[in-house]
């Protein structure tokens, strides 16, 4: 999410910085002159610069998971839309975009489908049966399970955070536990059933046996080495095995066995602890006080002075089976604890499951998990255990273009009891601190990661921005994060050794330094003017090898002179190696574009519009909720609502053609 106050940030662009480890900048690791990287580092240009990625230079077998579904696209077939400040979703000529599932819409549980009240007066209990706020990651699951059906399926999606000014008729006035509970019911995950009707229009199926809301109150199990650990035990759960709820769910992942991974990102914004804090609390950014969510003032579960281990039970990746609405979600501790953005799953040639994950905060790290056991397409029950056991690695990007995956294994190297890691469970609870010890590379806020479905071991990651890079007292620029005051962000790419996602080494390069059109670098080719974008966040390959990029420039940053003329947040497409980017979509005022889910035939694209109408600071004013945006209802007496948008091509062809 972009909301700066949600993270207690004072600067316009980012978040609290809690990585104060002294990992070396790796300009010191190797002193090799690599001309491209030197060029970038030296120029610190704000202009967009692109390069052909390594993956297209290497030959590689198609990955087991997704290749071969459709022929690889050779070109983009639509014309870029211009920058826009309009309060609507704009897509190219010949395409239609329509809001499908907005905050407050009934999820579709039989007999319990309360209608949205446009003054936000729905009760706490009603909110638990309705879409939450601020949709983010999303995935499409065909029905029936195991099919490739592109006309009927389930959508699982995250509701990342809340805006108390929108959620109640009177905002945070008369604050009490019941209000906090409504907020808790407006976060988490929705599972809805969607189907094309007789006219070919997508509709939400209501009622549906699959419809489900998962909230901050939904019981979930723990798996992996931190399950039952002393650091996970609380008064309410003395065994440390069962957690109530998930929250601040940002991006996601989707497994080949048909489950949804939801990722707990800015969970530390919820907790407070006054007085002296432990090193662990400081490293994860627990605050002394906070006045955005206010849950800890009325619900002592979120007061870490009273429940010191409760924060340890958040910051995980949670696996949800959307096909079984009665199933209990599982928090997989083997995937590490940090501010999880997403969890991108790919199957290695060995059959091991690899999950790529970013920790989205300034100067945090990129991780991957490699499962111990292998994927078996014929044994779903066994696959459901795969994320419980394996090795977690963190990335080091060296200046010569090579990279290392460093394992977080208790007892190896410095990860010992003497250094504060009593066992593997403690390594996982303290993932960031273990990664510090290993010397991982501090990145410019890793967001989404995805793997090229046509080039095995070819991986891309958005680094959304970091306006502290190179500042006095902060980490300097380095080869992988070459721009000081990195307002616009960039996209990094790596090629795993021998095309094997489970490899321990890789080669890396930069796909694009995002930027603005009037400072285009002469090195680029193609239509970079169309490509101009900032703060890349959502990133996903479709089934034709087109790479889709969504932006999350915060509302305060949009007002900066560097961004003038670039309009609302947007979505662009590229075919890696083409050096051509086209703007496919612009969003309504004050929004962020999130979530990318294609049906298997690539003819339907679901995205999310998050926080339309977001003010540049503070909550939305409940007396004037439509001051910035009234999307999607455009009712002056209503409220802006985050929503899932369905996009199709009018002639029924594939998206992007
Ligand atoms: Fe919730 Fe890193 O975006
Ligand atoms: Ca973001
Ligand atoms: Ca977001
Ligand atoms: Ca994001």
């Amino acid at each position: 999410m972009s909301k700066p106050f949600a993270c207690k940030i004072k600067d316009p662009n980012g978040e609290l910085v809690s990585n104060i480890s002294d990992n070396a900048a790796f300009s010191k690791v190797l002193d090799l002159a690599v001309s491209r990287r030197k060029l970038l580092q030296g120029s610190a240009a704000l202009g967009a610069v692109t390069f052909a990625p390594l993956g297209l230079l290497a030959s590689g077998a198609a990955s087991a998971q997704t290749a071969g579904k459709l022929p690889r696209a050779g070109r983009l077939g639509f014309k870029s839309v211009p920058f826009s400040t309009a309060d609507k979703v704009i897509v190219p000529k010949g395409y239609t975009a329509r809001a499908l599932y907005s905050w407050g819409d009934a999820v579709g549980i039989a007999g319990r489908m309360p209608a949205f009240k446009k003054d936000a007066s729905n009760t706490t209990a009603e909110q638990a049966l309705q879409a939450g706020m601020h949709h983010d990651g999303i995935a499409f699951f065909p029905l029936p399970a195991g099919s490739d059906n592109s006309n009927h399926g389930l959508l699982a999606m995250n509701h990342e955070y809340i805006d108390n000014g929108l959620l109640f008729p009177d905002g945070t006035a008369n604050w009490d536990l019941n209000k906090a509970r409504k907020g808790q019911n407006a976060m988490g995950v929705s599972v809805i059933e969607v189907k094309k009707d007789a006219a070919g229009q997508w509709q939400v199926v209501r009622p549906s046996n699959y419809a489900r809301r998962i909230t901050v109150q939904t019981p979930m199990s723990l798996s992996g080495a931190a399950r039952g650990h002393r650091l996970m035990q609380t008064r309410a759960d003395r065994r440390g095995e069962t957690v109530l709820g998930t929250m601040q769910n940002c991006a996601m992942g989707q497994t080949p066995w048909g489950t949804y991974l939801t990722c707990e990102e800015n969970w530390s914004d919820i907790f407070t602890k006054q007085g002296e804090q432990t090193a662990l609390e400081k490293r994860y950014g627990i605050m002394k006080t906070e006045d955005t969510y206010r849950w800890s003032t009325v619900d002592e579960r979120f007061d870490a002075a009273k429940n010191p281990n409760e924060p340890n039970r958040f910051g995980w990746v949670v696996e949800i089976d959307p096909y079984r609405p009665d199933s209990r979600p599982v928090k997989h501790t083997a995937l590490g604890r940090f501010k999880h953005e997403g969890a991108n799953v790919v199957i290695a040639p060995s059959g091991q499951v690899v999950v790529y994950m970013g920790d989205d905060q300034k100067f945090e790290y990129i991780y991957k998990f490699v499962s111990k056991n292998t994927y078996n397409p014929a044994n779903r029950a066994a696959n459901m255990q795969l994320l419980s056991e394996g090795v977690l690695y963190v990335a080091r990007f060296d200046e010569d273009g090579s990279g290392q995956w460093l394992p977080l294994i208790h007892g190896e190297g410095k990860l010992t009891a003497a250094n504060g890691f009593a066992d593997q469970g403690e390594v996982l609870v303290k993932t960031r601190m273990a990664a510090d010890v290993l010397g991982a590379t501090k990145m410019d806020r890793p967001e989404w990661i995805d793997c090229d479905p046509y080039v095995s071991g070819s991986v891309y990651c958005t680094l959304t921005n970091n306006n502290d890079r190179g500042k006095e007292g902060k980490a300097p620029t380095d080869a992988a994060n070459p721009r000081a005051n990195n307002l616009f962000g960039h996209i990094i790419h790596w090629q795993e050794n021998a095309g094997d996602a489970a490899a321990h080494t890789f080669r890396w390069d930069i796909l694009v330094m995002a930027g603005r059109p009037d400072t285009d670098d002469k090195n680029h080719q193609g239509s970079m003017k169309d490509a101009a974008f900032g703060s890349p966040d959502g990133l996903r390959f479709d089934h034709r090898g087109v790479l889709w990029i969504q932006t999350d420039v915060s509302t305060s940053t949009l007002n900066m002179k560097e961004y003038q003329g670039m309009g609302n947040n947007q979505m662009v497409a590229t075919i890696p190696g083409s050096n051509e980017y086209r703007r496919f979509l612009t969003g309504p005022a004050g929004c962020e574009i999130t979530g990318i889910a294609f049906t298997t035939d690539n003819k339907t694209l679901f995205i999310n519009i998050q926080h339309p109408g977001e003010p540049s600071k503070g909550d939305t004013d409940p007396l004037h909720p439509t001051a910035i945006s009234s999307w999607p209802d455009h009712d002056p007496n209503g409220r802006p609502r985050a929503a899932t948008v369905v996009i199709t091509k009018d002639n029924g062809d594939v998206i992007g053609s």
Side-chain angles (χ1 to χ4, degrees), residues 1-2 135-136 160-161 250 265 537 552 592 594 610-611:
M1 71 187 192
S2 65
H135 311 24
D136 205 292
E160 187 179 16
Y161 70 105
C250 193
E265 190 192 22
D537 186 337
D552 174 20
E592 164 189 350
T594 62
Q610 187 183 78
H611 62 69

Side-chain angles (χ1 to χ4, degrees), residues 111-123:
R112 302 164 74 201
M113 297 191 285
F116 175 66
K117 292 182 178 163
K118 67 183 182 182
D119 65 352
S121 63
N122 283 109
T123 64

